Structures are given as C-alpha cells and as structure tokens.
Amino acid sequence: MTELASAPGERASDSNGAAITPINHWIDGSPVPGTSGRTAKVFNPATGQQSGAVDLASVEEVDKAVQSAKAAFVSWRGVSLAKRAELMFAIRELVHARKEDIARILVAEHGKVLSDAMGEVTRGLEVIEFACGIPTLLKGEFSEQASTGIDVYSIRQPVGVVAGITPFNFPAMVPMWMFANAIATGNTFILKPSEKDPSASLLLAELLREAGVPEGVFTVVQGDKVAVDAILNHPDIAAVSFVGSTPIARYIYETGTKNGKRVQALGGAKNHMLVLPDADVNMAADAAVSAGYGSAGERCMAIATVVAVGSVHDPLVEAINDRLPKVKVGPGSDPTAEMGPLVTKQHRDKVASYLESAAEQGATIVADGREHPLYASSEGFFLGTSLIDHVTPEMDCYRDEIFGPVLTVMQVETYEEALGLINDNPYGNGTAIFTRDGGAARQFQFDVNVGMVGVNVPIPVPVAYYSFGGWKASLFGDLHMYGPDGIQFYTRSKVVTSRWPDPSTSSVDLGFPRTR
Ligand code: NAD
C-alpha cells in the first residue's frame, strides 16, 4: 500500500524529528526530484520507522525519461562491442567494490540480514560478469555459398528503449538481472523499482555513471501503478521485463503485448520440496529450514511446502522443528541475526493471518512465529519461524503464496501422489527432490512441470550463463530472464542474404529465388 508522505523534494522529518530522505528519479545521468506532488513512505522494517519518501512519477515524468532514453539509444547502439564490454567490466569492478554499501541499503529498506544482502548482490554481479562477454554473445551465424555466389548471415540488433519493473524482494539483484544484458546488447534501459525499497537503484545509477555509461542509457523512474501504466502504454518503449506477483505479471503481459511490446513477466511461486523415504533426514531438514526461512521466506525460490513421502514424514517434521529455536531472528544490521523482519507491517500481518486460517481449516501448528518475543515487543515488522503440518491442498496456506517465514508440510504415500500434487499446482517456478536414489531424481526431472529443478539442492537458482524462469503461472511470455534467453529477449534477429556478383552476369528473372 502506498501512503502519501511529504511534498516532493522537501526533506521532511518524522514525529521524532528524524530526517526522512527524499528518494528521486534518475534521468539524463543525474538525480531528478519528482514533480507529480505524490510520494510514498519508505520504512526501515527493523525499526518500523519511516526512513524515506520516494517520488511517484506522473505520466509526464515517465515520458521525459523515455525521451531521454530514446535520444541516447541513437548513439548507444552504435558504440562498438569492445567499448561496451569495457564498460561492463568497469561496472563489474565498481559494483564489486561497493557491494557492502549496496547490501547495507538493502538491509535498511528491505530488512534482510547483511550476509543475505551480500549474497543477493553477488548473484546480480554474476549477470554483469556474463554481460562482459557481450562480443561473443552477439556473434551471429554465417552460411557461405547458400546458393551459388550467395552468402546468408544473421545478426542480432537491440530492440530500442526497454523497461524493467522489479519487485521488493531483490531490490539490487533483479535490476541487475535485467539491465546488464539490456545495456550490453545496445538498448537503453529504464528501471521502475519497487516503491517499498527504491534506494539501491540510485546507487546503481551512480555506479553506472562513474563507470562511464552515457546519459540516458540507464534511467530510474520511481513510481507506482501510474508509472507502470505509463510504461505499458508508451509507444516508444519496445520491451518490458517484469518480476513480481502473478496477478500483476499477468496484467503486465496482457497490457504490454496488446500494445505491441515484447514482454517477459515472471510471477509468483509455490515451491515444493519433495523428500523421498530414503533421503538423509538431517540433510533434508537443514535444507528445508535454510530454503524456507532464509530472507524471511520472501524469495520467489523459497521452499514453501515440504512434501514428505511415507515414513520420512514424522522424523523430518521433528528434525525441522528442532532446528527452529536456533534460527536467530533480529535486525538485518545485527551480524549474528539469521532472519530479519518482513518488508511492511501489512505484509507481516497478512503472513501471520495464515496461521489463523490454517488452524481453523484443520492443520497442525507445530511452531507459531507469533510467539517470538519480537513479534509483540518490537516496532519492527518481525515474525518468528512458523511450521504448519498436516496441510491439505484446499487450505489457504497451501493455495496462496504466503511469501513469509511459514513452512507447510504435507504427507503423501507415494512418489506419484507427490508428483501429482506438484504438477497440479498452478505455479511452476522452482522445486527440489531430496533422495539418495539417482534414478528417482532423474525420473522427477523428467516428469515435473516446473521450470527450475534442484536435486538435493533446495534453491536451484540457475547460474548466470543459464536462464531463470518458471513455468505455468510463474512466467508469462516465451523467454526466461538473463543468460542466453536474456540476450535473445533484448535483441531482434535480422537475416541478410548477400551477393557480390560480376555485373556482366546480371539478368532479369521473375522466378522465385532458387537455391539449387
Ligand atoms: P508486486 O507484483 O506487488 O510488485 C512488483 C512491481 O509491480 C513493483 O514494481 C510494483 O510497483 C508494481 N505494481 C504493483 N502493483 C501494481 C499494479 N496494480 N499495477 C501495476 N504495477 C504494479 O510484487 P512484490 O510484492 O513487489 O514482490 C513479491 C512477488 O514477486 C512475489 O509474488 C514473488 O514470488 C514474486 N517474485 C518472483 C520472482 C520470479 O523470478 N518469478 C522473483 C522475485 C519475486
């Protein structure tokens, strides 16, 4: 929910007199205060206090950003591959050097713990490193003598001005997933970050400027639905990358494609961890706790549901539950904390409400995060680790993406039953199987209708030289994010058929072009 805060450009203060930082747009290579008269409050989730007021762009401000990006595209697409690679290397060095500064912004606005924030920046950096190889990535194909004296070759060209609309849960990594390949392929890029934690985008913009990226090549437009709709309706934006929840992803895909844009829209998730009876129970429990509660469950690749097959259920639930009191919940800035608060109070309360409905609907609450002392005593948006057992498919805690530190457990009798459950789920982002049986794991990889699969790996986020994306309601569009799909998404292919004939052999021929 967006709440109005101070007037734009004004350095306001909260009720205790603490400064509230204005968070602006970044257009033409500099910060630009908003002029719409609308801002939204940004909070420090660990203290519950407002720390910033982010500008919310109007349609006119989005247009200004697009005009800057459009003008920059003309010369940027002509910059040599060698120069673009050099710039990507420079960006890589600067982001690497300022990793902790970026991570501290994530801690302050998202709430995740510093070690997790550093991990986020590192995974984003890997996509920048991939884009350093842009000369190789853009190599086309060449067929000599496709017909007598005729050569055919393909080239890949940028699509123009492209936009990226990103979610709150990875305020640095997801923008890096997008802009690294978008810029390296010769496009100019407009980022619309989440209004909940928008400041990392501005530090990234500064680093790109310092690296030498020309004005207008990277732009940040802060905003809400008004800015998103302006992007979707703008005739000069050629492509839109989106990462966020499924209802918005569907809306972005439908509206963007209706307006003739290329769209990739990644949505929500409900990731199942299938544990077979032969699995190592301690290893599976460690993985379930790490993947279920890391980043307070606010990851699209978090494990939401453990599906225990047969006899492994009871020891597994016990092993998971044994580990929960040891998970240290606290502010992200505390180096000993392993799990921070949730992003907003509203989100924390919504996550907690699933404990209520699960109990009403017949599930067993094994661990209740509302019993954590910080839930009641802190102004921050804390919730402890929760474990819900005996969950069935019709319960709300299974049907909805909770996106919080709540792990649900389901017991089934067979592999086939578990597979049916996973394949019947509307989402298909990630999944994992835990087993010591290679044949079973291979069968699962073959059978499962999910885009990213882990074998004894609970969070199988593909490395930067593969592509990231789910199936079903977890992705709208054809191409996944980053890696080879990312290069394809941000470029159009052109095929050239070429002949350099001896003019003396020229003649009129109205027949269809022949190859033999
Ligand atoms: P969200 O869908 O609420 O917001 C994402 C973006 O859309 C933000 O920039 C926001 O400003 C904008 N937006 C929100 N409501 C809008 C509306 N009505 N019209 C137009 N634009 C709107 O998502 P979130 O809460 O920021 O992020 C969490 C969600 O993102 C979860 O569902 C999570 O699974 C998903 N996610 C998916 C992936 C993936 O790769 N599939 C990765 C990260 C997060």
Side-chain angles (χ1 to χ4, degrees), residues 164-170 173-174 177 192-197 223-229 232 242-249 251-252 265-270 298-301 343 347 401 403 427 429 452 468-470 474-475 481:
I165 300 164
T166 54
F168 82 81
N169 66 324
F170 287 111
M173 182 182 77
V174 171
W177 280 4
K192 206 302 283 171
S194 167
E195 62 273 46
K196 295 191 179 101
D197 42 21
D224 57 3
K225 182 171 167 55
V226 173
V228 171
D229 285 343
L232 294 175
F242 173 87
V243 176
S245 60
T246 287
I248 310 297
Y251 169 74
I252 301 281
L266 279 62
K270 193 82 189 178
E298 292 172 326
R299 290 182 184 141
C300 65
M301 290 293 276
V343 69
H347 185 55
E401 180 186 32
F403 220 56
Y427 297 106
N429 211 42
M452 294 171 282
F468 181 107
S474 295
L475 189 142
M481 191 79 50

Side-chain angles (χ1 to χ4, degrees), residues 208-230:
L208 266 67
R209 178 174 68 182
E210 200 180 329
V213 171
E215 281 176 16
V217 172
F218 181 79
T219 298
V220 179
V221 172
Q222 309 288 3
D224 57 3
K225 182 171 167 55
V226 173
V228 171
D229 285 343

Side-chain angles (χ1 to χ4, degrees), residues 92-106:
R92 190 267 166 206
E93 287 306 294
L94 286 165
V95 172
H96 179 70
R98 300 288 299 277
K99 208 193 256 191
E100 189 168 336
D101 295 336
I102 300 170
R104 289 200 181 276
I105 294 176
L106 308 185

Side-chain angles (χ1 to χ4, degrees), residues 5-7 9-14 17-22 50 53:
S6 60
E10 179 183 308
R11 181 169 283 274
S13 56
D14 67 9
I20 290 170
T21 309
Q50 185 186 353

